[in-house]
Amino acid sequence: MIRTFLSLLFRIVITVREYLYSIGVLRSYKVDAKVISVGNIAVGGAGKTPLVLLLNERLRNRGYKTAILEKGYKSGLRHNEIVLAEKGRDSLREDIIGDEPAMIWEQIPMGTRLAVCNDKTKAAISVKKMWPDTNAIIIDDGFQHLKLKRDVDIVLIDASLGIKDKLVPLGKLREPYSSLKRANIVLFTKSDGMTEEEKDVLKDKVLAINPELKVFFSVVKFITSMPIKGKRVFPVSAIYNPIHFHRKIKEAGAEFEKHMSFPDHYKFTQSVFDQIMKTASRGGAEYIIVTSKDWGKIKPFIGENHNIIEAWYEHQINSEGEFLKCCM
């Protein structure tokens, strides 16, 4: 009963806030650059960061000067403190900017700008002041940040979860499905193994909410720093949904019986890492396998003789050319 009331109250707050922005009572700011938001409407990982990296690469290949905006959840930054850096010119520390910005920093090409700040509007304005030639800004997890005007709103939905969830605390939705009315693109991720009929059902459901939506599907390309087929591994992760990570490891041909999963954004320590090593050794694992998000947090504790494999995801989007045309 209490959860139902809280969910209803949450819906009212969301609806009122969106309305106030739509009539101009709450002000939205526009910056002189193409602004693309990559977001979702549910709690948990739908693959936002891999898509941010993909878009950044494709935009740069087309001559754009790009910047990525990150919140820096559980970072060492104070409220509204901002970090601005350009890859190839500056250096960053993960304990200051947080695990997800650090993962992005490791993978972005030279010349990409990164802004880490709780206030994404402040971050966008600061990017344009620091680098006036920036003409494309990608917001990681930006769908709820209505204060900054966007040219393209991309919403990611985990296809395996369908369109049947409820608002928190009854479910995992951060916004009701009706919020897709303000989106431009829906990308159903993790659609591996789905039939065309199953995809059509999902597509029809979101088009019933917003007939103007462009709808695409992607599957996960699972990449590891070394081949794992036939290897006995010990998965370690601090992500929202480790089940998908574990499934991909098995699909890649590796074997494991036990694993260690920590809360999302968990900060590893030397003592915890030592315990991981002991547990993996007792289980007879040849290698420990971690996500790229956790790699940077574990890296300081890794000696030369530790067998640690890094794993990461990439999106393989159906009709990627059409998808990119909709983004640009």
Side-chain angles (χ1 to χ4, degrees):
M1 188 68 176
I2 294 177
R3 290 197 302 162
T4 300
F5 172 75
L6 290 175
S7 184
L8 177 60
L9 181 61
F10 189 40
R11 180 185 293 270
I12 293 171
V13 170
I14 291 169
T15 302
V16 171
R17 177 175 176 265
E18 185 174 341
Y19 176 71
L20 292 176
Y21 270 107
S22 69
I23 64 175
V25 173
L26 295 177
R27 182 183 173 190
S28 295
Y29 294 84
K30 181 74 175 76
V31 295
D32 183 22
K34 175 178 282 294
V35 177
I36 303 173
S37 166
V38 176
N40 63 4
I41 57 173
V43 176
K48 295 186 298 295
T49 302
L51 183 61
V52 166
L53 291 167
L54 183 149
L55 282 173
N56 180 69
E57 179 187 355
R58 303 298 192 265
L59 285 165
R60 291 186 61 80
N61 288 344
R62 287 161 173 77
Y64 283 90
K65 294 187 180 298
T66 58
I68 297 172
L69 308 188
E70 286 285 331
K71 183 177 180 179
Y73 181 68
K74 287 193 176 181
S75 68
L77 299 177
R78 297 185 298 273
H79 182 65
N80 283 345
E81 184 179 2
I82 187 168
V83 169
L84 298 169
E86 181 175 321
K87 187 67 176 286
R89 292 176 178 266
D90 306 300
S91 59
L92 291 175
R93 288 169 44 194
E94 180 175 319
D95 60 330
I96 299 296
I97 63 174
D99 54 3
E100 288 182 350
M103 179 180 69
I104 282 183
W105 183 252
E106 286 290 323
Q107 298 187 46
I108 55 177
M110 297 296 178
T112 302
R113 289 88 186 243
L114 179 68
V116 185
C117 182
N118 182 61
D119 186 337
K120 294 185 174 76
T121 302
K122 177 180 177 180
I125 293 171
S126 299
V127 162
K128 287 297 295 183
K129 286 182 178 178
M130 175 72 78
W131 302 289
D133 62 339
T134 302
N135 54 9
I137 294 175
I138 306 169
I139 316 172
D140 190 354
D141 197 11
F143 192 58
Q144 288 75 37
H145 192 80
L146 303 181
K147 189 178 176 182
L148 180 61
K149 290 184 178 180
R150 294 73 80 93
D151 297 284
V152 181
D153 254 312
I154 306 170
V155 175
L156 277 60
I157 299 177
D158 186 333
S160 65
L161 301 179
I163 308 292
K164 56 187 178 183
D165 210 342
K166 297 179 180 180
L167 279 174
V168 293
L170 293 175
K172 297 179 180 179
L173 291 185
R174 303 159 73 179
E175 294 191 66
Y177 290 114
S178 59
S179 66
L180 294 177
K181 291 177 181 178
R182 51 174 219 273
N184 303 110
I185 299 170
V186 164
L187 176 65
F188 283 103
T189 64
K190 304 177 184 178
S191 64
D192 315 50
M194 293 186 70
T195 65
E196 290 304 313
E197 289 76 13
E198 290 171 328
K199 291 179 181 179
D200 286 341
V201 169
L202 292 178
K203 184 175 180 179
D204 289 344
K205 286 184 177 180
V206 295
L207 288 177
I209 299 169
N210 179 0
E212 302 300 318
L213 281 170
K214 302 297 183 183
V215 183
F216 298 89
F217 290 82
S218 74
V219 297
V220 170
K221 182 179 180 182
F222 186 67
I223 305 170
T224 54
S225 56
M226 65 168 287
I228 62 173
K229 186 175 182 179
K231 303 296 183 183
R232 188 172 179 85
V233 301
F234 185 70
V236 175
S237 60
I239 56 179
Y240 183 81
N241 180 15
I243 295 174
H244 185 261
F245 176 50
H246 297 161
R247 184 168 73 244
K248 285 298 177 183
I249 292 172
K250 289 184 177 179
E251 288 176 1
E255 302 173 1
F256 72 91
E257 295 177 358
K258 296 183 178 180
H259 62 85
M260 292 183 74
S261 298
F262 298 86
D264 197 13
H265 301 284
Y266 183 82
K267 292 187 177 181
F268 295 92
T269 62
Q270 182 66 61
S271 61
V272 170
F273 181 75
D274 292 342
Q275 184 60 45
I276 290 171
M277 295 298 298
K278 289 178 183 178
T279 306
S281 178
R282 285 199 299 265
E286 299 174 80
Y287 299 94
I288 293 171
I289 183 167
V290 302
T291 68
S292 57
K293 180 177 174 179
D294 299 317
W295 170 259
K297 293 181 290 185
I298 285 180
K299 191 175 179 180
F301 313 117
I302 299 175
E304 293 182 0
N305 298 321
H306 292 319
N307 293 324
I308 314 289
I309 297 174
E310 180 186 4
W312 61 94
Y313 303 141
E314 288 183 3
H315 288 286
Q316 292 186 313
I317 303 172
N318 74 306
S319 305
E320 183 182 300
E322 184 63 27
F323 173 80
L324 293 173
K325 188 185 298 183
C326 294
C327 295
M328 298 179 189

